[in-house]
Amino acid sequence: MTCHEVQEQIIDYFEGNLDETSKKRIEHHLHECVGCQAEMKELQQVIASLESVGERIQVPDDFMRNVRNKVAKSQGSRQKSYKQRVMIGLAATLFLTVFVGTAVATNSFASVIDWWKDLSNKQDEQMQGYVQQGLGEKLNLAAESNGVKVTITSVVSDDIQTLIYYEIDDRNKKNKYMINYTDGLKIANQDQDWNFDDDLSHSPVTNHLSLYSEKDHVFKGRIGVAPMSADKGTIRLELSKLEKVINTPGDSDTSQNVSGGKKEFLKGDWHFDIPVKKHPSIVHNIHVESEIDGNPIIFEKLTIAPTITVLSYRYHNENPNRRMGQVKISSLESKGKYVYDQLGLGGYVGTEGYESGWNSAEATFESLYFEKPTDVKIHIGSAAFSVIKQAKFAIDSSKSLPQSFEYLGNQITIKQMEVGNPTKIVMTEELDPKRAYEMLDYRFYDKDGYGSSGANVDGYYIDKKGDKYKLNETFYRLNELDHPRFFSTEHHIELSRENKQEQYVPVGIEIEGYTVTSFYDKVVKISLE
């Protein structure tokens, strides 16, 4: 099974909708592919972050299906030119659509609103910089239908992506509406001005970012679009309906959130011809070699676009029992200025692949376009490793719970188990910042060997000082923490047989190994002249 095939089925895998053969194929691939394994674990963390605030956020019933559609569109817009990092893209979609777009006015979310305001202000400042430098256009294109005015405020485009900023104003001052970019949005000229070969079903629109608005009846947002084929042209954007933003119970006047629960739409007719001029990136082919814990890493290309900076690199694993994946480039430094990982907020999320024993990846950062650097320092922050350390433990469903066992000196407990179809299990782990592992690589199995490792995982980030941070309150500001490591503490697992009439009865858990993060203070200097 290829990375692409795994990425296409990953949502069904999480939802337990695959047959046993497909699940086994995916799990075999995840065992062999460090890149997909690392992305799977990051995705589990994001999902856990959202689920942990589920009581305060009304998530639509069809949310995961809509996310699947969004990721498919994002992937499709680029699939002819590279392998999309779909799982990281999915994490970013979850994060941008719900976590950023929903700031619930509770004590635990007070800092989210401040962070969101700061993010939105920076977006405004960035766009003003584009306009002043002649790289972006201030447009003020407006269309009104059914009492709602939609304005395309500005646009900036390069050969990585096009970013379109918009505002939606309910003239009756009653509601707030947003663009649902998988429902009611169409790029009328996509088959003429985007290269999708024979497949015209994909939309060039790849992502959406909700921005903070002070006014109750005004929504602000940013749409990301794949670059057009030509250097200059027009995006013919058509909106046939807008999604109503619904406040959750208990929201204060200052809270902002995307729609939850059952979706409501306002039909209308809003058409825009958006002029676009692509500005070329500055591309440096560098080929600089280094190493991380004995694993060679080659930095191959630095692409500095107006909207984002992309560092392309590849690495090779030398130790099969301790495989490196998900290398974290903490920052790039140029002329004393540091730019940081975008965490998906920059729109473009990068690519990832595997060929001839080498893992390839891209890291994305704030743009260095205006700095025009002559040299760059790459600060390598960390790398996640998958360590092989096998163990098996029996589970007896006829005996009372909890049932506990010890792995690497840490107690793991089957706390709850409800045998059925599916069988639901809650597994917990002791949390000790000094424990040998961060997350387990495991699978449950029954008497016939059928099993799965899919789970929703919750836990804590622990920094260098040993301070703990809840997952749902930390994901959006990881760059602020000193050496954060994610420790899983609770797993919610659902297991089922291919034959839906049979109950799944687990007889054991097989641990293949675990992940652990190593941190570095390593700097690689690259000349761009």
Side-chain angles (χ1 to χ4, degrees):
M1 179 170 265
T2 65
C3 296
H4 178 73
E5 291 172 327
V6 170
Q7 292 160 358
E8 283 188 329
Q9 299 182 56
I10 198 64
I11 296 297
D12 287 321
Y13 178 78
F14 263 103
E15 293 181 334
N17 295 330
L18 296 178
D19 58 54
E20 196 63 36
T21 300
S22 298
K23 287 195 295 185
K24 281 182 174 293
R25 291 180 67 206
I26 286 179
E27 287 160 8
H28 177 74
H29 177 88
L30 290 173
H31 174 66
E32 297 294 329
C33 179
V34 178
C36 285
Q37 187 181 108
E39 292 189 14
M40 167 73 85
K41 287 180 168 58
E42 183 166 341
L43 177 55
Q44 288 175 324
Q45 295 174 29
V46 179
I47 291 175
S49 175
L50 294 172
E51 290 190 337
S52 64
V53 294
E55 294 181 358
R56 288 169 285 164
I57 298 176
Q58 292 183 345
V59 179
D61 294 336
D62 58 354
F63 175 72
M64 289 305 287
R65 177 168 56 82
N66 288 336
V67 167
R68 183 193 293 111
N69 293 337
K70 291 177 183 181
V71 174
K73 286 176 179 257
S74 176
Q75 179 188 11
S77 67
R78 300 182 173 96
Q79 65 179 355
K80 304 302 180 184
S81 58
Y82 61 77
K83 291 183 179 179
Q84 169 81 358
R85 292 182 68 191
V86 176
M87 282 187 270
I88 291 298
L90 172 56
T93 300
L94 286 163
F95 187 60
L96 299 179
T97 308
V98 173
F99 197 82
V100 175
T102 304
V104 181
T106 63
N107 290 334
S108 61
F109 269 73
S111 60
V112 177
I113 297 178
D114 291 336
W115 173 82
W116 192 16
K117 288 180 180 179
D118 182 61
L119 169 70
S120 301
N121 288 335
K122 287 180 179 177
Q123 287 290 314
D124 288 341
E125 293 171 2
Q126 189 177 54
M127 192 62 231
Q128 290 173 14
Y130 294 144
V131 173
Q132 291 172 1
Q133 295 288 335
L135 300 174
E137 298 286 339
K138 197 164 184 63
L139 298 175
N140 201 35
L141 301 175
E144 187 170 332
S145 180
N146 279 348
V148 174
K149 179 182 178 182
V150 179
T151 304
I152 305 299
T153 59
S154 52
V155 63
V156 59
S157 183
D158 54 37
D159 45 20
I160 299 292
Q161 63 185 343
T162 297
L163 299 179
I164 301 171
Y165 293 81
Y166 72 90
E167 291 184 5
I168 299 179
D169 182 4
D170 179 10
R171 309 292 272 180
N172 298 315
K173 302 185 187 303
K174 291 182 178 180
N175 298 306
K176 181 178 287 187
Y177 297 95
M178 65 179 285
I179 291 177
N180 182 320
Y181 78 92
T182 64
D183 195 353
L185 182 151
K186 178 183 177 182
I187 304 294
N189 58 321
Q190 71 176 51
D191 54 340
Q192 290 90 27
D193 296 315
W194 278 264
N195 289 327
F196 292 145
D197 294 341
D198 296 329
D199 190 348
L200 303 179
S201 63
H202 298 291
S203 169
V205 181
T206 60
N207 61 83
H208 177 269
L209 175 63
S210 302
L211 299 173
Y212 186 83
S213 172
E214 297 284 351
K215 298 179 180 179
D216 292 338
H217 57 92
V218 176
F219 185 93
K220 295 182 179 181
R222 187 196 74 195
I223 294 173
V225 182
M228 299 178 69
S229 306
D231 291 336
K232 190 175 182 180
T234 300
I235 297 177
R236 295 172 56 199
L237 177 65
E238 298 180 358
L239 300 172
S240 59
K241 57 184 177 180
L242 300 172
E243 184 178 347
K244 182 180 177 181
V245 177
I246 302 172
N247 290 332
T248 57
D251 284 345
S252 73
D253 291 338
T254 59
S255 67
Q256 309 280 325
N257 56 291
V258 300
S259 73
K262 186 177 180 180
K263 294 180 183 295
E264 295 183 30
F265 290 92
L266 173 74
K267 292 184 178 180
D269 188 18
W270 301 268
H271 287 203
F272 304 93
D273 288 338
I274 305 173
V276 171
K277 179 182 178 182
K278 284 197 307 187
H279 296 274
S281 301
I282 303 169
V283 179
H284 299 278
N285 294 305
I286 47 184
H287 197 85
V288 173
E289 299 182 12
S290 187
E291 61 84 28
I292 300 176
D293 276 0
N295 300 299
I297 182 169
I298 301 175
F299 299 102
E300 297 189 307
K301 184 169 65 174
L302 184 68
T303 303
I304 304 175
T307 63
I308 204 162
T309 297
V310 182
L311 176 66
S312 305
Y313 61 93
R314 58 190 175 100
Y315 59 91
H316 188 276
N317 274 294
E318 298 293 317
N319 184 351
N321 294 318
R322 192 174 187 268
R323 297 171 297 173
M324 184 175 73
Q326 203 174 11
V327 178
K328 173 74 171 179
I329 311 297
S330 60
S331 64
L332 299 180
E333 179 187 357
S334 173
K335 301 177 182 178
K337 177 181 178 178
Y338 291 79
V339 291
Y340 298 92
D341 182 0
Q342 292 281 272
L343 290 175
L345 301 176
Y348 179 77
V349 295
T351 67
E352 186 168 270
Y354 180 83
E355 186 176 356
S356 302
W358 286 81
N359 295 276
S360 61
E362 289 182 333
T364 61
F365 306 88
E366 300 163 53
S367 178
L368 284 169
Y369 195 84
F370 298 138
E371 277 68 27
K372 294 181 172 52
T374 55
D375 59 72
V376 168
K377 293 180 181 178
I378 300 172
H379 292 259
I380 300 175
S382 64
F385 292 86
S386 294
V387 181
I388 304 298
K389 185 68 175 178
Q390 297 175 330
K392 271 190 175 183
F393 302 95
I395 298 172
D396 192 340
S397 61
S398 66
K399 292 185 178 180
S400 61
L401 298 176
Q403 296 179 28
S404 299
F405 53 90
E406 190 174 288
Y407 179 75
L408 297 181
N410 198 68
Q411 182 169 290
I412 300 171
T413 301
I414 307 299
K415 187 177 180 181
Q416 299 175 26
M417 182 163 56
E418 181 183 333
V419 176
N421 202 347
T423 290
K424 298 181 179 180
I425 298 174
V426 177
M427 183 175 75
T428 61
E429 303 165 85
E430 286 183 321
L431 179 60
D432 182 343
K434 295 182 180 180
R435 80 185 191 191
Y437 69 90
E438 293 164 23
M439 289 185 67
L440 295 173
D441 178 9
Y442 65 90
R443 64 183 291 271
F444 285 88
Y445 59 92
D446 66 5
K447 61 182 178 59
D448 297 320
Y450 290 117
S452 175
S453 59
N456 290 331
V457 183
D458 200 0
Y460 292 84
Y461 282 100
I462 299 180
D463 67 10
K464 188 175 183 179
K465 296 186 296 182
D467 292 337
K468 293 195 306 181
Y469 301 87
K470 292 181 179 180
L471 171 63
N472 64 290
E473 297 175 7
T474 310
F475 183 81
Y476 68 96
R477 59 186 187 93
L478 281 179
N479 284 332
E480 301 173 18
L481 302 185
D482 187 8
H483 293 182
R485 294 191 295 159
F486 178 77
F487 287 81
S488 56
T489 58
E490 189 168 304
H491 305 248
H492 291 258
I493 306 110
E494 291 191 4
L495 304 164
S496 60
R497 299 275 297 186
E498 184 175 355
N499 181 350
K500 300 297 183 181
Q501 303 303 315
E502 299 179 39
Q503 291 185 332
Y504 186 97
V505 182
V507 299
I509 180 173
E510 180 179 21
I511 298 177
E512 180 67 24
Y514 58 90
T515 60
V516 64
T517 304
S518 294
F519 292 91
Y520 309 95
D521 187 18
K522 188 179 184 70
V523 179
V524 179
K525 187 174 181 179
I526 295 175
S527 175
L528 303 179
E529 294 183 317

